[in-house]
Amino acid sequence: MLFGGVCDDDKEIHEDLSQFFRDFEKINDCKIQLTHFSSGEELLEHYLSKNCKNFHFLFLDIEMSGINGLETAKQIRSLPNKDVTILFLSSYPDYVMESFDVLTFQYLLKPLTYDVFESKMMRLYDHLSSTAKHVMFLKDERGQNIVPVSEIIAISKLKHSLVQNKLQVVTTDQEFLITGTISSYSEKLGMPFLLVYRSVIVNMDYIRGFTANSVIMSNHQDFPISRTQMKQIKDTYAQYMAGKFII
């Protein structure tokens, strides 16, 4: 499933796009969940909320009252969960050059027809499908969350949990409690993730040091290391870091 947002101060645009998406889902046998916003302020408020849902894409109107679409996009790009694909909507082509500054994916002129919408969505769908391996879908009590793999610091089994197979996923800006097993994530995740203990996986990009029996991460959190695997873990880390700097 893809998660998208539509931000426009014109109610008719929301209605038209909702119908376009319904048609696109039927024709292409896919699922897309939309969240609607009527202003840049409302969208930014969502992004700054604790229960922020990460989007795969945003349809963003440029000419809105209050904060316009370009300024809204600039502020989104400064946030931790900034890697959203942005498609601008506008009645005028004048803003095309400015839109490049915020890494826009497409610039769509109003009035938007379904044929144009479908062609742009097919490109977007192909683009997102090709980059799907760079994100993980983590389901917790808040719902489905889209998390960039590069932002995951560690995954560990929750101690003393009343629920079996409860894991804590620590990222650069938040934490998630999910259901799963360390072994399944260890198999799913390749480099730079490393199983350092039977109940802990860490991202080597965020290792900042070692003690006699633990690894220290960039967020100052430490995790235990298997004593029997200590040398192998340190060697793997040293080889990985050396490889990063080979030109």
Side-chain angles (χ1 to χ4, degrees), residues 80-207:
N81 46 357
K82 62 185 178 182
D83 297 322
V84 60
T85 302
I86 295 177
L87 300 91
F88 277 118
L89 297 167
S90 177
S91 300
Y92 309 98
D94 310 48
Y95 300 99
V96 172
M97 296 305 295
E98 288 182 70
S99 71
F100 293 152
D101 292 338
V102 289
L103 306 176
T104 183
F105 180 75
Q106 291 283 303
Y107 190 99
L108 289 73
L109 286 175
K110 300 177 182 178
L112 187 62
T113 65
Y114 180 76
D115 288 342
V116 172
F117 168 84
E118 184 178 36
S119 67
K120 302 301 183 184
M121 276 302 299
M122 288 305 300
R123 287 192 60 190
L124 174 64
Y125 201 78
D126 290 342
H127 168 72
L128 293 175
S129 298
S130 68
T131 58
K133 63 182 179 180
H134 300 304
V135 300
M136 290 190 72
F137 297 85
L138 304 177
K139 186 175 182 179
D140 62 7
E141 71 279 0
R142 294 170 292 186
Q144 193 79 261
N145 303 278
I146 306 164
V147 179
V149 171
S150 61
E151 294 181 6
I152 296 176
I153 294 175
I155 302 175
S156 61
K157 186 175 181 181
L158 202 62
K159 296 179 181 179
H160 312 302
S161 173
L162 297 177
V163 181
Q164 277 192 325
N165 300 329
K166 206 69 175 177
L167 303 178
Q168 181 182 47
V169 180
V170 179
T171 74
T172 53
D173 64 340
Q174 55 187 319
E175 297 182 2
F176 302 91
L177 293 181
I178 64 171
T179 301
T181 63
I182 287 293
S183 60
S184 66
Y185 279 96
S186 181
E187 292 175 8
K188 186 184 303 183
L189 294 166
M191 296 291 277
F193 291 89
L194 182 63
L195 183 69
V196 295
Y197 197 69
R198 62 179 180 272
S199 59
V200 179
I201 301 169
V202 301
N203 185 338
M204 289 189 284
D205 284 334
Y206 294 99
I207 291 178

